[in-house]
Amino acid sequence: GQQLNQSPQSMFIQEGEDVSMNCTSSSIFNTWLWYKQDPGEGPVLLIALYKAGELTSNGRLTAQFGITRKDSFLNISASIPSDVGIYFCAGLSGAGSYQLTFGKGTKLSVIP
Amino acid sequence: GAGVSQTPSNKVTEKGKYVELRCDPISGHTALYWYRQSLGQGPEFLIYFQGTGAADDSGLPNDRFFAVRPEGSVSTLKIQRTERGDSAVYLCATKGGGANVLTFGAGSRLTVL
């Protein structure tokens, strides 16, 4: 089946630093999504990307849909303590597709 | 309701027992999904409902797992003869109202001893 390789698995950063994480796939996706999951909660959508090359921002978050449609990255600028959590990339493979494929997540820790 | 509601939030059971996990979707959302999230992993697709029918159950791991949505709203995931490997968080997500994104519930954490 399809797999998403997400890196890094975890990161420890100082408050105020910028963060970058990415996802790659062996196959093409038509939609890339980035979610954040806090302990004891379900994933919450941060950013959705629908077109190859698309660059989208949501506050301090910026994500891009790779030109090859096989990768995406998420950047967080000027990190704050509440950015702590697990970030997941997810992809949808085709028109009308409904089955999300998730990466394994990047666990972010922010040191005040 | 305002969000996707899942009950119970935590369930501890013994190997071999039967469990039911319930999902109350956002009002009016016709599409409903079940995902399973093991420790340290991303969610994995189990089953998808469009209305009352299971449009795709290809993610169910074996025939001990079954899900229903008899009236097109609330869904129940049923696991028979539970095994320790079934321990995970079971997430429900719904979609509707023209939006093309899923809204997840907080999940039901199942622990099989």
Side-chain angles (χ1 to χ4, degrees), chain A:
Chain A
Q2 295 171 326
Q3 289 188 339
L4 293 182
N5 299 308
Q6 189 171 348
S7 65
Q9 280 188 310
S10 63
M11 38 193 331
F12 288 82
I13 61 167
Q14 205 74 35
E15 183 178 356
E17 288 184 346
D18 297 343
V19 173
S20 185
M21 58 193 79
N22 69 80
C23 234
T24 60
S25 169
S26 57
S27 53
I28 287 172
F29 286 97
N30 289 330
T31 299
W32 282 92
L33 305 167
W34 285 91
Y35 285 85
K36 180 177 183 246
Q37 187 173 30
D38 293 326
E41 300 293 329
V44 174
L45 182 68
L46 299 174
I47 291 181
L49 302 158
Y50 300 105
K51 285 171 52 177
E54 179 180 353
L55 183 72
T56 296
S57 292
N58 178 8
R60 294 179 294 108
L61 277 60
T62 302
Q64 185 157 31
F65 191 148
I67 295 278
T68 64
R69 295 193 285 159
K70 291 184 178 181
D71 64 302
S72 177
F73 72 74
L74 174 71
N75 287 344
I76 304 173
S77 63
S79 58
I80 59 178
S82 63
D83 290 335
V84 165
I86 303 178
Y87 292 79
F88 291 97
C89 61
L92 284 170
S93 58
S97 178
Y98 50 82
Q99 203 182 108
L100 279 178
T101 300
F102 281 84
K104 291 188 175 183
T106 295
K107 185 174 181 179
L108 178 64
S109 300
V110 178
I111 304 166

Side-chain angles (χ1 to χ4, degrees), chain A residues 37 40-42, chain B residues 4-6 89-92 104-108:
Chain A
Q37 187 173 30
E41 300 293 329
Chain B
V4 179
S5 176
Q6 290 189 247
V89 175
Y90 290 82
L91 293 164
C92 177
F104 283 86
S108 291

Side-chain angles (χ1 to χ4, degrees), chain B:
Chain B
V4 179
S5 176
Q6 290 189 247
T7 54
S9 55
N10 274 288
K11 175 72 176 177
V12 180
T13 191
E14 292 179 340
K15 181 175 179 295
K17 298 290 187 183
Y18 168 81
V19 299
E20 288 190 352
L21 307 175
R22 176 187 167 110
C23 174
D24 279 87
I26 292 172
S27 179
H29 279 197
T30 56
L32 185 147
Y33 306 72
W34 284 97
Y35 281 78
R36 178 167 73 172
Q37 187 174 22
S38 300
L39 191 63
Q41 304 293 318
E44 293 179 318
F45 171 80
L46 294 177
I47 186 169
Y48 158 58
F49 287 90
Q50 183 60 256
T52 59
D56 184 351
D57 64 358
S58 62
L60 295 177
N62 51 61
D63 61 6
R64 294 187 297 105
F65 288 75
F66 189 72
V68 296
R69 195 186 186 199
E71 297 176 359
S73 177
V74 170
S75 176
T76 304
L77 178 66
K78 307 180 180 193
I79 310 173
Q80 297 177 317
R81 305 183 303 280
T82 51
E83 299 177 358
R84 292 194 179 90
D86 298 336
S87 297
V89 175
Y90 290 82
L91 293 164
C92 177
T94 68
K95 183 171 72 170
N100 194 31
V101 294
L102 299 184
T103 300
F104 283 86
S108 291
R109 180 177 295 277
L110 175 66
T111 303
V112 182
L113 301 176

